[in-house]
């Protein structure tokens, strides 16, 4: 096998370790402290925010408008699909108009 | 809302999971295509590109990986970078482990191979809906996402060079849009706004100072720590009530 294949397989192993690591540690504890519980409850919002926020600052008008439109629909409870499609439509339209 | 649903009906549960996979497949497909195309233009073979999608199965780290392959670095540096980008999954398995305790260990660790950002977020959405995370539902969600992810990597690797102008189609921005929708899904949780606010500020600051991919870990840790130190949250069971 080539070095590249070995690197890919090693990358797969360390990725799998991250995907079981948290559970490997936590499943050893019978009870979870309320503060840890609160921390774990915050995980989805905290991590997912970091995947969006910096991207929002690197884009231009099209990207900003797309996030605002999608965000508005998500906030009003318009649903996942509606906000997603509307945001993508705004983005594609503005990118092709503004260039 | 879930009184008349039979969660022991594995076929129905699997199909409910599959339905949830549709927007994920749509949002991730262009990204997977782009990965396949970039992998080949960075010198990987078609087989290596597909192997990466099938075994690492984590988009951002795959992108970082192919970027580093082109730079003639020591192998361990590439592996360490993949690990750094994927470190957030430790948090995912810590959280998802709590709601899948009723599965066997083997099932859990098999399932956690598929624990990507959307897989985790959709599982947590189901918790928020007060529905059980069943193995059938989880795999119904995971398998279409996984199989399409491999298929689009193959397509991108084979035909990627003929995509005219990916930016004009907006494909680089579909995942952030989808992730924004997921962030909003958790807005009923306690401390949602302060957590989102500090995570956003910290990740942007880290992005411009330390650089990618560290902004993910830094932003996440700051938001999570805020939730941990926030006063007067009551008992764990009260917080559990607040999750719905």
């Amino acid at each position: 096998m080539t070095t590249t294949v070995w690197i890919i397989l090693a990358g797969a192993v360390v990725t799998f370790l991250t995907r079981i690591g948290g559970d490997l540690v936590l499943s050893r504890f019978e009870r979870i402290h309320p503060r840890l519980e609160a921390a774990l409850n915050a995980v989805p919002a905290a991590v997912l925010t970091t995947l969006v926020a910096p991207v929002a600052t690197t884009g231009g008008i099209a990207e900003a408008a797309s996030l605002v439109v999608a965000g508005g629909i998500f906030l009003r409870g318009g649903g996942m699909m509606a906000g997603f499609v509307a945001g993508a439509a705004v983005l594609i339209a503005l990118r092709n108009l503004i260039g | 809302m879930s009184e008349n649903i039979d969660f022991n009906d594995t076929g129905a549960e699997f199909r409910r999971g599959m339905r949830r996979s549709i927007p994920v497949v749509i949002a991730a497909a262009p990204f997977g295509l782009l990965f396949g195309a970039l992998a080949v233009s960075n010198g990987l073979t078609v087989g290596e590109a597909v192997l990466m999608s099938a075994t690492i199965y984590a988009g951002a780290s795959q992108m970082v990986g192919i970027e580093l392959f082109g730079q003639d670095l020591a192998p361990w540096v590439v592996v360490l970078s993949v690990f750094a980008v994927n470190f957030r999954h430790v948090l995912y398995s810590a959280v998802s482990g709590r709601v899948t305790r009723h599965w066997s260990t083997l099932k859990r660790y098999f399932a956690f191979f598929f624990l990507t950002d959307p897989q985790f977020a959709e599982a947590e959405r189901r918790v928020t809906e007060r529905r059980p995370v069943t193995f059938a539902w989880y795999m119904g969600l995971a398998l279409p996402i996984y199989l399409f992810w491999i298929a689009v990597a193959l397509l991108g690797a084979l035909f990627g060079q003929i995509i005219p102008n990916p930016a004009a189609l907006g494909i680089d921005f579909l995942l952030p849009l989808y992730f924004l929708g997921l962030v909003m899904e958790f807005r009923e949780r306690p401390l949602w706004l302060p957590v989102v606010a500090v995570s956003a500020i910290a990740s942007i600051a880290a992005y411009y100072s330390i650089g990618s991919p560290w902004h993910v870990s830094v932003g996440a840790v700051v938001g999570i720590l805020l939730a941990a130190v926030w006063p007067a949250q009551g008992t764990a069971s009260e917080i559990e009530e607040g999750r719905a």
Side-chain angles (χ1 to χ4, degrees):
Chain A
M1 288 203 293
T2 64
T3 312
T4 303
V5 170
W6 280 113
I7 294 174
I8 292 170
L9 293 180
V13 170
V14 297
T15 301
F16 182 64
L17 288 179
T18 65
R19 285 182 173 149
I20 62 169
D23 182 62
L24 271 177
V25 174
L26 268 198
S27 60
R28 300 187 177 278
F29 296 95
E30 278 291 310
R31 290 174 53 83
I32 295 178
H33 192 277
R35 289 203 181 274
L36 179 58
E37 179 89 30
L40 291 175
N41 281 331
V43 166
V47 180
L48 292 165
T49 297
T50 70
L51 303 180
V52 184
V55 182
T57 66
T58 56
I61 296 167
E63 289 76 14
S66 159
L67 286 176
V68 169
V69 168
I73 293 173
F74 291 138
L75 261 186
R76 292 167 135 265
M80 199 64 204
M81 250 342 227
F84 178 65
V85 171
V90 167
L91 177 79
I92 294 168
L94 287 181
R95 274 196 183 168
N96 285 288
L97 287 175
I98 304 170
Chain B
M1 76 204 268
S2 54
E3 292 81 10
N4 49 5
I5 297 176
D6 179 11
F7 295 108
N8 292 319
D9 183 346
T10 48
E13 275 289 275
F14 191 85
R15 283 192 296 279
R16 275 191 282 274
M18 280 183 77
R19 271 199 295 278
R20 275 288 173 85
S21 75
I22 295 168
V24 183
V25 167
I26 295 171
F31 196 62
L33 269 175
L34 189 66
F35 164 77
L38 289 178
V40 168
S41 62
N42 276 24
L44 267 72
T45 66
V46 172
E48 287 164 349
V50 173
L51 180 72
M52 237 176 140
S53 280
T55 60
I56 297 181
Y57 187 43
S61 70
Q62 291 175 227
M63 288 292 193
V64 169
I66 56 171
E67 190 63 34
L68 298 181
F69 275 133
Q71 296 177 19
D72 208 26
L73 294 162
W76 68 267
V77 176
V78 183
V79 176
L80 185 70
S81 302
V82 169
F83 180 73
V85 177
N86 286 332
F87 191 73
R88 65 185 186 283
H89 294 102
V90 171
L91 297 168
Y92 295 170
S93 71
V95 174
S96 288
R98 296 185 306 168
V99 294
T100 54
R101 268 304 122 73
H102 53 292
W103 304 356
S104 70
T105 308
L106 190 67
K107 263 186 184 172
R108 250 192 6 251
Y109 291 169
F110 173 73
F112 286 171
F113 170 81
F114 302 96
L115 195 59
T116 55
D117 299 305
Q119 181 80 30
F120 167 69
E122 293 291 347
E124 281 295 287
R125 264 177 87 187
R126 193 161 166 98
V127 173
T128 300
E129 294 164 355
R130 294 179 169 272
R131 293 184 176 189
V133 179
T134 60
F135 187 70
W137 178 87
Y138 186 100
M139 292 314 295
L141 173 68
L143 288 181
I145 303 173
Y146 181 64
L147 295 176
F148 272 99
W149 182 249
I150 296 172
V152 294
L154 177 63
L155 285 177
L158 289 174
F159 307 113
Q161 319 312 323
I162 58 175
I163 300 175
N165 181 4
L169 299 170
I171 67 176
D172 54 305
F173 210 68
L174 291 183
L175 275 177
L177 268 180
Y178 173 72
F179 289 140
L180 175 68
L182 287 178
V183 170
M184 298 295 184
E185 287 291 322
F186 298 103
R187 65 182 180 276
E188 305 298 331
R189 288 204 178 175
L191 304 179
W192 178 81
L193 190 59
V195 166
V196 167
V198 299
S199 288
I201 293 165
S203 66
I204 290 169
Y207 183 80
Y208 288 104
S209 53
I210 316 167
S212 184
W214 302 104
H215 66 279
V216 175
S217 303
V218 171
V221 164
V222 172
I224 292 163
L225 277 181
L226 179 81
V229 301
W230 197 276
Q233 294 181 71
T235 65
S237 58
E238 282 164 18
I239 294 164
E240 191 64 31
E241 289 299 306
R243 289 177 62 149

